[in-house]
Each structure stands twice: as structure tokens, then as C-alpha cells.
């Protein structure tokens, strides 16, 4: 008789993560059910299995079945960057859009303890937080005037509606030292990779956090992260590459440039779609596309991209087409951008060398002069600290300062990012970027680009003019 289908959960309340991982791993050689395999395992047997197979023979994917939920509180935004640089994990963090910071909610780097610049660092962070707190009610007034209370709205509904709008502006003051909480869901393989990066990091905060995460994780996965250590390649290569770069002033060009994309992108994408649902070779599929009239090609693109709802991503075949952008946006915006995991993101070190943005509401609130003063103060502090330690100096850089990055993403990820970040509820920095990226993609690949799910009611130029005095 044909064996019956079985679907059930392995209960993480009764089975430790390492035992679940071994239970799944053993199905590759054992004809037993998962229940029976799990019943024969102990924590000791699971640890021995992982030592032999995962650590010894390098069958590392087994460790992906051991999943941890790690709660991390009061770490700097700078430390969060390294933590969240792992793409194969899930994060939720305190939002600069929906929460406010207390005056002392910033990290004091241990590297600075007793250093002649420690006082200056504290003064700068405190000044930024003081300005942030002074700006909140003033910018709120400006926003409240622009978005008056509706007759059917009570006070708390109205406050909720306008809150993110004024907090969105005031976040430009917050330095990278601002503390936040992050919830992380990660499997043991990805965690080991993250720990190796953290333990190799130049900042003491990141190394200490890595060591604490490792210790905490070992209570749940004693074997799988045991061998995570600092990696000398990760420690030395950044210095080596920094020295190789010519010592010249950085050029500041256009803030968003599409610098490379696949030639014949549209032909490749559509040929890949035919390939997937036929038995043709890729060359045959491509010739089939080449033989079509422009109207037929448009009709095919319409089939592929025209009928999607907002919960359905386009076919995976759209991933065969990629785009590389060089972008520069305020650090607050960059911190949101970096949360998109399905792309290759190469950020430059955080510094003040690329200047800072000024939201228009700052001027409307009568804060322009004091905003420029405190940004200049932060810039000077950064530069003084950077001559001693550029990594530590980055803690004082406010969200207003620009960050430059290279992004490589495929059409499918661009679709998702543009839909999410051009939406009216997205931050204006990201809306501006999403609109501009869509414009670039439409210019390079008009056939596919016309279907991008961009919010149609504004352009990046309008966003720039409306929200930025200087972008
Ligand atoms: C309105 C709004 C409010 C937000 N508020 C907060 C907040 O308060 N705090 C906060 O931390 N973040 C917040 N974010 C960021 C948000 O949680 C995402 O991290 C960010 O938008 C990246 O998008 P994404 O997760 O859809 O996917 P991306 O990382 O861009 O990945 C693309 C797609 O791949 C798939 N995918 C990628 N990784 C996984 C995975 N591990 N498991 C399953 N599917 C996956 C999903 O389909 C995803 O949509 C907010 C975003 C928005 C739009």
C-alpha cells in the first residue's frame, strides 16, 4: 500500500533547535519517520552529529534548521548595520519614524573612555539630541498647519496621522550613536556567519555584541556556533583596500545614477519566460522573441507584468535582468534602504565628507540657522575624531549626512522596492529614491519599466522640491 501523506510540526517547545536540525538532516540516510528519528535523539547525540557532519565534513546547511530568536536592546545604529548585513535573517527594530528618543539614548564608545576627545564626543551627541528635542514641537506645529485636523477625527487619530510626518523630519538630527532595540530571527548557519563578521569588526561595541550573542546562542545551539571566531581576512582586508584607493578628494556627482544594466535586458527576460514554460533551448527562446513584431512583444510583456496584484511578485524569470546604481542619500534613508535583503549593497563608510541634507520643514519651523550650526559642529567633531579613529568618529554622524552606496538588484527586487518605497506612507527620502530609480529603469528598459508599480501621483523632482531645501 502507498504510504499515507503526513504533515506535522516538530515542536520547538519540546525539541531543542540542534535536535530538530539533526532530525531533518538524518532523513537523508534514514527511512524512519521524523518523529521516530527525533525520539531516538538526545542533546548529546545531536551535538556529536553536528561536530561530525556540520563542523567536520562541512555539511553546513544542516545548521539552517536550528532557528533562534534573539532579543537585542540598546545598541547603536552603527552596530545594527553590521548585525543586519546578513541577508538570510529577519529583523525588526525600533523605528525612527514611530518612536522618539530620550536625551541620553546614545552609545558611549569604550574606545573613547579617558580620551582627550571624549568630552567633545559627549557634547556633540548631547547637542544633537537637544536640537532633536527642541525641533519636535516646532516641526510638529508646521506639519499640523499643513495637515489640519479633519472634522471626523479625534485628537489621538490626528496625532497618529501627523506624528510620523514630523518625526520623519526630526530624525535627521539623530546620530549613528542613537540606541535601538532589534529582534532577530536567524538560523544557526547565518548566525555563525554574522558572528564571524561581528567578532572581526573594528568597533569594540560590535565585537562585544558578537561575543554576547555567541554566548546567548550557545545556550540554545551549543555546537553550531561554538567555532565562530574573528577572521583575519575580514580584519585586514578593509585597511589594505583603503590604502590602495588614491588619496584624492571624493567627487560628488549626480545622487542617483544607473551605471550598468544588462544589454538586451528585455529580450533576455522575455526569452527566459518562454524558456521556463517550454522545452526550447535558451537560444531558441531568444530567437522566438527576436522574430516577433514590436506589438507582439508588448503583448507578451503585458501578459508577464500587466495583471499582477500588489500581493503577487512577478515571475522569478525577471531576475535574469539586473541593474547597478550608484546612489547617495541621507543616512536615515540609507538605514531603511539597507533593510532590503534581496540585493547587493556596498555602502561606503559613514562620514561627513558628502555633506548633509536639509528638510524644508526645518526652515519652515524657523530652525535653519540652528540646524546648520549643529550639523557644522557634528562635522567638525567627526573630522577631529576621524584623524584618530574614523570608525569611532562615525558614531557622531547625524542622519542628515549623505551616505553613498553601490546597489545591484534584479528587476524583480526593483519591482518590490519601488512598490514599497514609492508608496505615500514611505519616508520622503525613500520615495524620492524609488521614483528616481524607476525613472532610470524605464529609460534603460522602457518595455519592462512601463509596468513598474510606481506611485503615479508624484515625481522625484516634486518630492525633492517639496521636502528638501537642500537634498
Ligand atoms: C510602512 C513600513 C513600516 C516599516 N516599519 C518598520 C519598523 O517599524 N521596524 C523595522 O524594523 N522595519 C520596518 N519596516 C521595514 C520592513 O520591515 C522591511 O524590513 C523592509 O521594508 C524590507 O522589505 P521586505 O522585508 O519586504 O523585503 P526585502 O528584504 O526587500 O526582500 C524582498 C522580498 O523577499 C522576500 N524575503 C526576503 N527575506 C525573506 C525572509 N527571510 N523570509 C521570507 N521572505 C523573505 C519577501 O517576499 C520580500 O518582500 C517598515 C517598512 C514599511 C514599508
Amino acid at each position: 500500500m502507498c504510504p499515507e501523506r503526513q504533515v506535522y510540526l516538530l515542536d520547538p517547545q519540546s525539541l531543542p533547535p540542534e535536535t530538530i536540525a539533526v532530525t531533518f538532516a538524518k532523513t537523508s540516510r534514514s527511512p524512519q519517520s521524523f518523529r521516530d528519528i527525533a525520539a531516538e535523539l538526545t542533546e548529546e547525540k545531536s551535538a556529536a552529529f553536528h561536530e561530525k557532519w556540520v563542523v567536520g565534513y562541512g555539511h553546513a546547511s544542516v545548521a539552517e534548521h536550528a532557528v533562534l530568536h534573539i532579543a537585542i536592546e540598546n545598541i547603536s545604529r552603527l552596530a545594527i548595520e553590521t548585525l543586519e548585513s546578513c541577508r538570510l535573517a529577519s529583523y525588526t527594530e525600533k523605528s525612527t519614524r514611530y518612536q522618539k528618543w530620550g536625551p541620553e539614548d546614545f552609545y558611549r564608545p569604550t574606545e573613547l573612555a579617558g580620551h582627550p576627545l571624549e568630552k567633545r564626543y559627549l557634547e556633540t551627541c548631547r547637542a544633537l539630541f537637544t536640537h532633536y528635542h527642541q525641533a519636535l514641537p516646532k516641526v510638529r506645529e508646521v506639519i499640523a498647519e499643513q495637515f489640519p485636523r479633519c472634522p471626523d477625527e479625534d485628537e489621538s487619530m490626528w496625532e497618529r496621522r501627523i506624528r510620523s510626518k514630523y518625526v520623519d523630519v526630526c530624525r535627521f538630527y539623530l546620530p549613528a550613536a542613537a540606541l535601538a532595540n532589534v529582534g532577530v530571527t536567524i538560523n544557526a548557519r547565518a548566525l555563525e556567519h554574522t558572528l564571524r563578521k561581528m567578532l572581526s569588526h573594528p568597533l569594540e561595541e560590535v565585537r562585544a555584541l558578537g561575543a554576547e550573542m555567541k554566548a546567548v546562542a550557545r545556550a540554545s545551539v551549543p555546537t553550531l556556533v561554538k567555532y565562530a571566531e574573528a577572521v583575519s581576512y575580514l580584519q585586514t582586508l578593509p585597511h589594505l583596500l583603503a590604502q590602495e584607493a588614491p588619496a584624492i578628494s571624493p567627487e560628488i556627482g549626480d545622487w542617483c545614477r544607473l551605471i550598468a544594466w544588462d544589454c538586451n535586458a528585455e529580450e533576455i527576460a522575455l526569452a527566459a519566460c518562454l524558456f521556463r514554460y517550454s522545452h526550447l533551448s535558451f537560444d531558441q527562446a531568444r530567437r522566438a522573441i527576436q522574430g516577433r513584431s514590436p506589438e507582439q512583444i508588448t503583448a507578451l510583456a503585458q501578459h508577464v507584468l500587466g495583471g499582477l496584484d500588489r500581493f503577487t511578485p512577478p515571475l522569478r524569470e525577471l531576475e535574469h535582468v539586473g541593474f547597478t546604481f550608484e546612489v547617495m542619500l541621507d543616512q536615515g534613508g540609507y538605514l531603511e534602504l539597507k533593510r532590503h535583503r534581496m540585493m547587493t549593497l556596498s555602502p561606503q563608510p559613514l562620514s561627513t565628507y558628502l555633506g548633509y541634507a536639509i528638510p524644508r520643514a526645518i526652515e519652515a519651523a524657523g530652525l535653519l540657522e540652528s540646524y546648520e550650526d549643529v550639523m557644522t559642529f557634528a562635522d567638525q567633531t567627526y573630522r577631529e575624531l576621524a584623524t584618530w579613529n574614523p570608525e569611532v568618529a562615525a558614531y557622531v554622524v547625524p542622519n542628515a549626512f549623505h551616505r553613498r552606496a553601490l546597489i545591484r538588484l534584479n528587476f524583480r527586487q526593483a519591482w518590490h522596492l519601488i512598490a514599497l518605497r514609492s508608496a505615500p506612507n514611505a519616508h520622503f527620502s525613500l520615495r524620492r529614491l524609488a521614483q528616481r530609480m524607476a525613472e532610470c529603469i524605464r529609460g534603460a528598459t522602457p518595455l519592462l519599466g512601463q509596468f513598474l508599480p510606481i506611485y503615479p501621483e508624484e515625481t522625484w523632482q516634486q518630492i525633492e522640491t517639496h521636502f528638501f531645501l537642500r537634498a
Side-chain angles (χ1 to χ4, degrees):
M1 210 168 68
C2 172
E4 240 180 76
R5 177 169 53 232
Q6 299 282 324
V7 181
Y8 51 93
L9 293 175
L10 291 189
D11 183 5
Q13 309 285 344
S14 54
L15 295 171
E18 288 199 351
T19 303
I20 291 179
V22 178
T23 305
F24 284 168
K26 280 193 166 227
T27 201
S28 96
R29 310 282 195 278
S30 166
Q32 286 177 291
S33 76
F34 290 110
R35 276 199 191 95
D36 291 341
I37 299 172
E40 287 174 5
L41 287 171
T42 60
E43 287 186 41
E44 292 70 33
K45 282 185 186 169
S46 302
F49 180 97
H50 288 309
E51 286 282 2
K52 180 173 173 187
W53 289 95
V54 179
V55 180
Y57 296 154
H59 189 178
S61 62
V62 166
E64 293 170 29
H65 294 297
V67 176
L68 290 91
H69 303 283
I70 309 177
I72 300 168
E73 297 175 6
N74 299 319
I75 59 167
S76 73
R77 290 274 171 192
L78 208 52
I80 289 176
E81 285 198 27
T82 309
L83 174 65
E84 291 181 351
S85 66
C86 174
R87 281 178 282 200
L88 299 173
S90 309
Y91 313 95
T92 298
E93 65 184 271
K94 175 172 173 169
S95 169
T96 48
R97 304 192 67 198
Y98 305 106
Q99 293 201 53
K100 296 173 186 169
W101 264 249
E104 293 291 320
D105 294 348
F106 63 89
Y107 180 69
R108 281 88 170 144
T110 41
E111 292 93 333
L112 264 172
H115 190 276
L117 285 169
E118 183 183 17
K119 192 162 161 272
R120 177 67 185 268
Y121 173 87
L122 294 173
E123 269 170 23
T124 310
C125 287
R126 290 202 173 107
L128 287 164
F129 275 82
T130 303
H131 282 257
Y132 168 75
H133 281 283
Q134 287 167 351
L136 282 166
K138 291 188 176 149
V139 179
R140 186 191 172 283
E141 253 176 60
V142 172
I143 300 292
E145 225 170 86
Q146 287 172 5
F147 300 90
R149 196 171 134 188
C150 302
D152 58 347
E153 229 174 4
D154 68 25
E155 188 70 25
S156 66
M157 279 162 72
W158 181 48
E159 183 57 34
R160 273 201 302 279
R161 185 160 65 88
I162 63 168
R163 184 184 162 108
S164 68
K165 296 186 199 310
Y166 69 87
V167 177
D168 273 358
V169 172
C170 297
R171 82 172 189 192
F172 281 68
Y173 289 101
L174 291 174
L179 296 174
N181 298 347
V182 196
V184 182
T185 299
I186 191 164
N187 67 57
R189 186 187 199 182
L191 178 59
E192 200 206 20
H193 176 65
T194 302
L195 292 178
R196 284 155 64 91
K197 278 196 276 188
M198 296 182 81
L199 296 170
S200 312
H201 200 273
L203 287 175
E204 205 278 330
E205 182 195 12
V206 180
R207 293 194 302 276
L209 174 63
E212 278 175 54
M213 284 171 62
K214 180 175 165 179
V216 164
R218 286 200 63 189
S220 180
V221 288
T223 326
L224 292 173
V225 297
K226 185 160 118 185
Y227 299 103
E229 299 294 348
V231 182
S232 80
Y233 171 84
L234 298 176
Q235 289 171 320
T236 53
L237 192 60
H239 299 290
L240 202 132
L241 293 176
Q243 279 162 13
E244 290 287 329
I248 49 177
S249 315
E251 270 176 8
I252 304 179
D254 194 353
W255 66 275
C256 177
R257 292 191 311 129
L258 177 57
I259 53 174
W261 64 95
D262 296 337
C263 65
N264 302 321
E266 295 169 336
E267 195 177 293
I268 290 171
L270 294 178
C273 293
L274 291 194
F275 176 91
R276 162 99 188 265
Y277 293 101
S278 73
H279 298 281
L280 304 175
S281 71
F282 183 73
D283 284 347
Q284 286 177 308
R286 200 163 176 176
R287 283 198 295 275
I289 298 295
Q290 287 164 348
R292 292 187 177 210
S293 68
E295 293 73 29
Q296 288 171 320
I297 299 234
T298 305
L300 185 59
Q302 176 68 33
H303 284 312
V304 173
L305 292 167
L308 289 164
D309 63 41
R310 73 188 189 93
F311 300 108
T312 312
L315 283 186
R316 184 172 280 195
E317 284 54 52
L318 276 301
E319 291 183 9
H320 291 292
V321 166
F323 306 89
T324 304
F325 284 89
E326 184 189 47
V327 302
M328 198 175 79
L329 74 168
D330 59 86
Q331 165 74 355
Y334 169 75
L335 292 177
E336 291 193 50
L337 176 68
K338 69 146 178 33
R339 294 294 303 280
H340 290 276
R341 294 157 289 181
M342 297 288 131
M343 58 188 188
T344 304
L345 188 60
S346 305
Q348 293 188 321
L350 177 60
S351 76
T352 59
Y353 300 141
L354 302 174
Y356 60 86
I358 310 175
R360 200 170 275 286
I362 291 287
E363 187 195 37
L367 295 166
L368 182 57
E369 203 179 318
S370 65
Y371 180 88
E372 296 202 289
D373 285 348
V374 79
M375 291 302 154
T376 305
F377 184 44
D379 180 24
Q380 286 163 350
T381 304
Y382 169 82
R383 285 169 195 262
E384 278 186 45
L385 282 165
T387 56
W388 159 69
N389 184 330
E391 280 91 11
V392 171
Y395 280 113
V396 289
V397 180
N399 281 334
F401 280 86
H402 293 129
R403 189 82 178 266
R404 193 153 55 179
L406 273 190
I407 305 174
R408 174 81 183 163
L409 78 178
N410 62 53
F411 186 82
R412 200 167 177 234
Q413 173 64 6
W415 178 283
H416 175 65
L417 191 145
I418 286 165
L420 201 65
R421 299 306 188 172
S422 72
N425 65 347
H427 190 279
F428 51 84
S429 291
L430 272 293
R431 272 160 43 208
R432 172 173 170 258
L433 178 70
Q435 290 281 353
R436 183 82 193 270
M437 286 172 80
E439 183 185 275
C440 293
I441 293 174
R442 280 197 300 253
T445 58
L447 179 66
L448 301 179
Q450 68 181 302
F451 294 102
L452 283 170
I454 188 87
Y455 180 65
E457 301 294 321
E458 58 187 7
T459 64
W460 67 265
Q461 292 93 338
Q462 286 168 339
I463 299 167
E464 191 169 295
T465 310
H466 186 77
F467 289 97
F468 289 100
L469 188 64
R470 187 174 74 205

